Amino acid sequence: MKYFEGYKLKTAIAILSKFIEAVFEIIIPLLMARLIDSGIVAGNDSVVYSSVVWMLILTLLGYLSALVCQYYASHISQIVGGRIRSDLMKHDLELSTDQVDAFSSSVLTNRITSDVLFIQDMIARVIRLGVRAPFLIVGTIVALFTINQKLSLALLIALPLFVGVIWGFMMLTMRGHAKATTQLDRVTARVSELLSGSRIIRAFSKQAHSDRVFNNDNDTLFKRQSTVGIFATLSSPFTTLMMNGLMVLLIYISGIQINLGSMTQGQTLAIINYCNQLLITLIVAMNLIMIISRGTNSLKRVKQVLNTQPRLSSDGDERIEKPFKLVFDRVSFSFPDEKRRVLNGISFTLEPGKTLGIIGLTGSGKSTLLKLIPRFMEISDGSICIDDSDLSDFNIHSLRDGIGYVPQNAQFIRGSLNDNITMRRFENPEEALTDAQGQDILSKGLDVLIEESGKNLSGGQKQRVNIARALAKKPKLLLFDDSFSALDAITTARLQKTLRTKYRDTAQIIASQRTSSVSHADWILVLDQGHILDEGTHESLLKTNEIYQRIYSLQQEGSD
């Protein structure tokens, strides 16, 4: 109900307006019967005029009431949907990396877009029809019994068959919609996967295979959505056929009753109107139930995300205000629902202004180790401390502000070069980009548009912009996750010289698969399958560690 805060009165007004319209709809057929029986048949002009006037007044008031309800229902549903969408986005950004991966970005996108739209539709329909439809059904049945009990009983006997048919179509449609929604998540994920990997697909001429994979998923979605469409399409003409058949039966019985003198013409017309109104309202009510079911299913999917508690708390009181000592004490990490240890018993100390190199083969745990420091993921065992305080004691925003993290895969937002470096903060992008050896990028101007995923930048330019983003923060700790892999040897050497001189007071951790990137580090860890296999300086590891020697030799041969 918090999403309706400030709009509860307007919601009540909208529902009341629709209720008033429904009351008028119940009264109008009675006025019509009075018009015919007491006015036209009896030759009483005053009854005719008064009945017509009252019918016009009620019709106009009902129309105005409907307008009020329609306006508020649309406005409130959009407001509530917007609030849910904002909460979802805020919550998604608070989830840890592994929690986001557990849902997948495509599923979270569907929750924020499609599911919220279904919830909005449900809210609008419930405001418009949630009171109106039940009242019309009950009111119409009561009105029918006041006119002719025998005919009303005949109608009520046929009513369960009519309701059963509508319910059957509704259940088939709802089940089909649930399957189609699940398949839509899969197609969305497939589209994201294929678009992000489009260059690799073209490079290996796998377009035909990718088309087949996508078409299989798309065909399944088409079949499931077509099934839903078939049920929805058949339900309308079938129920209309039943409704018209029931009308013919009522008119036939009413004709007999009129000839026998037990019913008047006005009563017959009122019963036909009420019957038509009742059957249409039943169809509307069943559709409303289906919309509520669909919206409720979407609400459950949204709640599943909102009820997922972020593993990372941002409520710590400690703040990063000066250079610090970083201590890993027997740190281990496993992904949720996995027994395998990605990191196991990692211990080291990094003093302010020192540089730590981390090297290892693919899958050794280098990237995971770096992600634990800004708390993109939470450790499973052990502790990470800044000076004498545990990492969890720090305010997460202050912690991340004090750390410059350069991810393995360069990331961008669609916007200007300036926005991608400063992230809309008051920082010096020119200095940061110059320090990152990005003079050629800077020559294009800070207002140049960076396309989605940095498509208009080369691999080396992407890495330098990402490095500039980290440097612009003036952090107390720099984390480089294989961040020099796309740079040539000369650019790398210049960048490392800048880091050693201008940023000599800033602690640095450099994770890489190349010995040349970590050779200048004060201390180097050699990781293998999540364990520290060996540690030391570049020179000592060349003498004692086989893996380090092999990596160095292969790279030396490659450079020759």
Side-chain angles (χ1 to χ4, degrees), residues 4 7 10-11 72-81 123 127:
F4 286 87
Y7 289 87
K10 292 181 180 179
T11 303
Y72 278 131
S74 177
H75 183 64
I76 292 166
S77 64
Q78 293 297 324
I79 291 293
V80 172
I123 292 169
I127 291 174

Side-chain angles (χ1 to χ4, degrees), residues 300-355:
K300 288 179 181 177
R301 286 158 57 88
V302 167
K303 282 185 174 180
Q304 184 187 15
V305 177
L306 293 176
N307 291 337
T308 301
Q309 294 299 321
R311 292 196 179 95
L312 310 176
S313 171
S314 60
D315 299 332
D317 297 325
E318 298 282 346
R319 306 188 73 83
I320 302 291
E321 295 177 347
K322 59 182 180 62
F324 55 81
K325 178 173 69 173
L326 179 69
V327 179
F328 269 58
D329 184 18
R330 296 186 297 275
V331 171
S332 298
F333 174 80
S334 298
F335 286 104
D337 304 321
E338 284 190 18
K339 295 181 179 179
R340 183 179 68 90
R341 294 272 182 162
V342 180
L343 295 172
N344 196 352
I346 303 296
S347 296
F348 66 84
T349 298
L350 177 64
E351 298 288 344
K354 298 296 183 179
T355 298

Side-chain angles (χ1 to χ4, degrees), residues 53-80:
V53 169
W54 275 111
M55 288 170 66
L56 286 173
I57 291 172
L58 294 183
T59 301
L60 180 60
L61 291 176
Y63 173 71
L64 293 175
S65 298
L67 281 180
V68 171
C69 179
Q70 295 291 98
Y71 171 77
Y72 278 131
S74 177
H75 183 64
I76 292 166
S77 64
Q78 293 297 324
I79 291 293
V80 172

Side-chain angles (χ1 to χ4, degrees), residues 491-504:
T491 302
T492 301
R494 289 173 178 169
L495 175 59
Q496 288 179 340
K497 181 179 179 181
T498 301
L499 292 174
R500 286 195 302 272
T501 55
K502 188 171 182 178
Y503 295 88
R504 59 182 177 274

